[in-house]
Amino acid sequence: MSDRFTTRVLDVSTGHTETVTDLTRPCEQFLSEVAAGRDGLLNLFVPHATAGIAVIETGAGSDHDLLAALHTLLPADDRWEHRHGSPGHGRDHVLPAFVPPHATLPVLDGHLRLGTWQSVCLIDTNKDNPERQVRLSFLG
């Protein structure tokens, strides 16, 4: 594989609660190993039908606000036709339409170039699947 393109799978344990998991540090660690001061793009992809990637502020309540907003938009009740798993699990399968399973971010001089308050996060509302994978790919 070319050193211009490198990919790795990150295993993430999200547990049995709805979570916003900050992936910024693992992304930076990946880039420190593979980007070597180069410019390029970091792509994140979640190969799951019930999780997504968001670039948001964390630590100031925005992560909780996001989960609350998703509860308003996608209530965990019996309205969903997709009915296996926990009650309201059908909403988890609609989540990627609102929080996509991917993001592509700029890398300059081997580092993510996020805004001051931005973090890259895994959004997981599926209480039935506590283990996730995120594919990190650097092209540069």
Side-chain angles (χ1 to χ4, degrees):
M1 184 176 299
S2 165
D3 65 347
R4 292 185 40 81
F5 178 80
T6 306
T7 189
R8 179 175 303 157
V9 173
L10 178 65
D11 293 313
V12 180
S13 181
T14 57
H16 292 284
T17 60
E18 297 178 359
T19 62
V20 174
T21 304
D22 191 337
L23 300 176
T24 309
R25 184 167 290 153
C27 288
E28 284 286 3
Q29 289 170 339
F30 171 69
L31 290 171
S32 72
E33 296 172 23
V34 303
R38 293 180 289 160
D39 295 348
L41 297 171
L42 175 66
N43 182 266
L44 294 89
F45 178 73
V46 181
H48 301 284
T50 59
I53 299 291
V55 177
I56 63 169
E57 178 182 8
T58 59
S62 298
D63 39 354
H64 299 291
D65 290 342
L66 174 59
L67 292 176
L70 290 172
H71 270 279
T72 300
L73 290 170
L74 306 170
D77 58 23
D78 64 357
R79 74 183 68 202
W80 308 101
E81 289 187 34
H82 188 107
R83 294 184 186 250
H84 76 84
S86 297
H89 174 64
R91 74 184 283 265
D92 301 327
H93 287 273
V94 178
L95 173 76
F98 294 89
V99 182
H102 57 86
T104 301
L105 305 170
V107 176
L108 297 174
D109 195 28
H111 298 282
L112 275 177
R113 287 300 182 232
L114 298 171
T116 301
W117 304 111
Q118 291 179 319
S119 297
V120 57
C121 299
L122 171 66
I123 311 303
D124 187 3
T125 60
N126 183 354
K127 301 175 190 177
D128 297 335
N129 188 352
E131 302 298 325
R132 298 300 188 156
Q133 292 185 330
V134 180
R135 177 165 298 281
L136 306 176
S137 301
F138 173 70
L139 177 63

